[in-house]
Amino acid sequence: MGGITVLLVDDHLVVRSGLRALLATQPDMDVVAEASSGEEALQLVRSHAPAVVVMDLAMGPGMDGIEAIRQIRNLGTGQSVLVFTTYDSDADIVRAVDSGAMGYLLKDAAPEEIFAAIRGAVQGRSVMSPPVASRLFQQMRNPDEVLTPREAELLSLLTEGLSNRELGRRLFISEATVKTHLAHIYAKLGVDTRAAAIATAIRREGMR
Amino acid sequence: MGGITVLLVDDHLVVRSGLRALLATQPDMDVVAEASSGEEALQLVRSHAPAVVVMDLAMGPGMDGIEAIRQIRNLGTGQSVLVFTTYDSDADIVRAVDSGAMGYLLKDAAPEEIFAAIRGAVQGRSVMSPPVASRLFQQMRNPDEVLTPREAELLSLLTEGLSNRELGRRLFISEATVKTHLAHIYAKLGVDTRAAAIATAIRREGMR
DNA sequence: GCTGCCCTCAGCCTTTTGGCTGATATGGCC
DNA sequence: GGCCATATCAGCCAAAAGGCTGAGGGCAGC
């Protein structure tokens, strides 16, 4: 006892079981609860007050991981949240860090990496997987390539296959404005067609 | 002993641990080995001759799950392969079944579902998650919506954002032929722009 | 108060795309 | 042999998208 109390949040039971099994090998860590949704996570944080929350970002319908992180941070009860997810999309990383995540691990991380991140989190140190760190670094070096909120909104709709006219209707702006936004988006993503933009958005920005 | 011997194949250690922990609760099942790649899986099938192989489809670089299934089946040593993956894309399901998979489970499946699938597999029964089954059924009802090999090839390149001209060059066909294929693809996917086709391809057909 | 960024819009012109119709060749299947 | 699916190509036309220039309003920061 007296170890680091951990709450696991993932909608896949196998992943929770796997994490639980891994953490069981560490004498200083105790998994005190598991949640399969953002809503459930919030409740369990309240009732168990764990030191660290290990959370997936993608969790089916309902509250997503980002929102869950935000709300947990808003409780003001001092939990450190570690993101543990499959994808390292630029957008997800930025949003997670913005929401107050203390670390960002990929699911193919080595056990030691996971342990180190959890221990670091309780000490206020931020730990992230190398690929994640390099992406963050990349973003900081080229702030010109970061999409504005409006652009991100448009890109998100773009990935649904809408035409400029439809995009305009959806966003209550003229087709001319849509084209302006698109031109900016193309420049930032380094493409020159909407098709390539969609491909890049889904693959690199993680807009599924 | 004397239980069902199982080989786990997944590039994520947590998932393997989770499955191992789950299967450990079943007296009639023994995880005899774990692999983190298709190549490794093939080796371990040879050396351990498990009764069932539980395999993820997405596994980083190298041999993918589909190819691994095909090669395991080609060994002729009688292994039943169960797909255990996150996504239920039409293309993946069809290809997995074509390659000789005995079942197709999603990672959010309940433990009982997993156990039943493994027991079913050794008895020659095919078990799949309800969403997967319904997709297969859907495909069988509307064979008109199945893409031809050439169309699938083109669609795959399309998701990389290529123009018609580039597609033609890549496939050594004229732009006119590209347009013909695209028209057929649009019809089968139920869309009318390349943007929507890309969106659908990535989301429904799982062309990541 | 000026500067810079974001969001908005317009016009013009070229390229690309999509819809349509029709045609040829190939290979498998009955 | 005839049928059918697949793959290949052409031409024509309308619609959509993309590149370019220019411009106005709002708002934060210095």
Side-chain angles (χ1 to χ4, degrees):
Chain A
M1 279 305 112
I4 303 171
T5 50
V6 178
L7 165 64
L8 304 180
V9 189
D10 196 305
D11 60 335
H12 291 164
L13 183 132
V14 272
V15 175
R16 297 199 305 271
S17 298
L19 276 173
R20 185 180 274 276
L22 281 185
L23 299 192
T25 67
Q26 303 299 299
D28 61 336
M29 298 182 188
D30 291 314
V31 175
V32 295
E34 295 182 12
S36 61
S37 71
E39 291 82 355
E40 199 184 342
L42 210 54
Q43 285 228 309
L44 293 176
V45 167
R46 275 192 240 262
S47 57
H48 288 76
V52 178
V53 180
V54 176
M55 165 129 58
D56 190 8
L57 286 185
M59 283 186 305
M63 188 189 304
D64 70 349
I66 300 288
E67 183 57 25
I69 295 174
R70 204 183 310 275
Q71 297 213 19
I72 289 175
R73 300 290 303 170
N74 276 351
L75 292 177
T77 41
Q79 274 72 35
S80 293
V81 180
L82 272 183
V83 172
F84 184 67
T85 190
T86 308
Y87 307 104
D88 58 345
S89 81
D90 290 352
D92 280 346
I93 295 173
V94 170
R95 287 190 303 152
V97 173
D98 275 354
S99 306
M102 274 301 295
Y104 199 111
L105 297 174
L106 297 182
K107 281 194 178 165
D108 55 7
E112 293 71 27
E113 214 177 327
I114 300 174
F115 302 149
I118 291 179
R119 295 200 183 93
V122 292
Q123 293 165 15
R125 278 190 293 108
S126 178
V127 180
M128 31 195 67
S129 294
V132 175
S134 89
R135 275 169 176 277
L136 252 189
F137 194 70
Q138 184 78 12
Q139 291 242 325
M140 285 174 39
R141 278 198 327 180
N142 313 18
D144 291 355
E145 293 176 7
V146 178
L147 299 179
T148 69
R150 195 58 160 171
E151 285 163 0
E153 196 178 354
L154 205 144
L155 182 56
S156 168
L157 286 177
L158 191 66
T159 62
E160 292 178 13
L162 303 188
S163 70
N164 291 349
R165 191 185 309 263
E166 292 167 323
L167 289 171
R169 265 204 285 269
R170 275 300 187 95
L171 298 174
F172 306 107
I173 57 181
S174 79
E175 212 177 318
T177 305
V178 171
K179 291 172 121 184
T180 305
H181 284 309
L182 283 181
H184 294 158
I185 291 173
Y186 294 165
K188 290 180 180 180
L189 295 186
V191 300
D192 52 5
T193 66
R194 69 172 46 215
I198 293 173
T200 312
I202 295 181
R203 276 185 253 276
R204 196 171 88 208
E205 306 290 325
M207 290 185 172
R208 264 166 274 273
Chain B
M1 281 303 113
I4 304 171
T5 51
V6 178
L7 166 65
L8 304 181
V9 189
D10 196 304
D11 60 335
H12 290 165
L13 183 132
V14 273
V15 174
R16 296 199 305 272
S17 299
L19 274 173
R20 185 179 273 278
L22 281 184
L23 299 192
T25 67
Q26 303 300 298
D28 61 337
M29 298 183 189
D30 292 313
V31 176
V32 294
E34 295 182 12
S36 60
S37 72
E39 290 82 356
E40 199 184 343
L42 210 54
Q43 285 230 308
L44 293 176
V45 166
R46 276 192 238 261
S47 57
H48 289 76
V52 178
V53 180
V54 176
M55 166 129 55
D56 190 8
L57 287 187
M59 282 185 306
M63 190 189 302
D64 71 348
I66 299 289
E67 183 55 27
I69 296 175
R70 206 183 309 275
Q71 299 212 19
I72 289 174
R73 299 290 302 172
N74 276 350
L75 292 177
T77 41
Q79 275 72 34
S80 292
V81 181
L82 272 182
V83 172
F84 184 67
T85 190
T86 308
Y87 307 104
D88 58 343
S89 81
D90 289 353
D92 280 346
I93 296 172
V94 170
R95 287 192 302 153
V97 172
D98 275 355
S99 306
M102 274 301 297
Y104 199 112
L105 297 174
L106 297 182
K107 281 195 180 164
D108 56 5
E112 292 73 26
E113 215 176 326
I114 300 174
F115 303 149
I118 292 178
R119 295 200 183 95
V122 293
Q123 293 166 14
R125 277 190 294 109
S126 178
V127 180
M128 31 196 67
S129 293
V132 176
S134 88
R135 274 170 176 277
L136 252 190
F137 193 70
Q138 184 78 13
Q139 292 241 325
M140 287 174 39
R141 278 198 327 180
N142 313 18
D144 291 355
E145 292 175 10
V146 179
L147 300 179
T148 69
R150 194 59 160 170
E151 285 163 1
E153 196 179 354
L154 205 144
L155 181 56
S156 169
L157 286 177
L158 191 66
T159 63
E160 292 176 14
L162 304 187
S163 71
N164 291 349
R165 190 184 311 262
E166 292 168 321
L167 289 172
R169 267 204 284 269
R170 268 316 177 88
L171 299 174
F172 306 106
I173 57 180
S174 78
E175 211 176 320
T177 305
V178 171
K179 290 171 104 180
T180 305
H181 284 309
L182 282 181
H184 293 159
I185 291 173
Y186 294 165
K188 290 180 179 179
L189 295 186
V191 301
D192 52 6
T193 66
R194 69 173 45 215
I198 294 173
T200 310
I202 295 181
R203 275 186 253 278
R204 197 172 87 207
E205 306 292 323
M207 291 185 174
R208 270 167 271 274

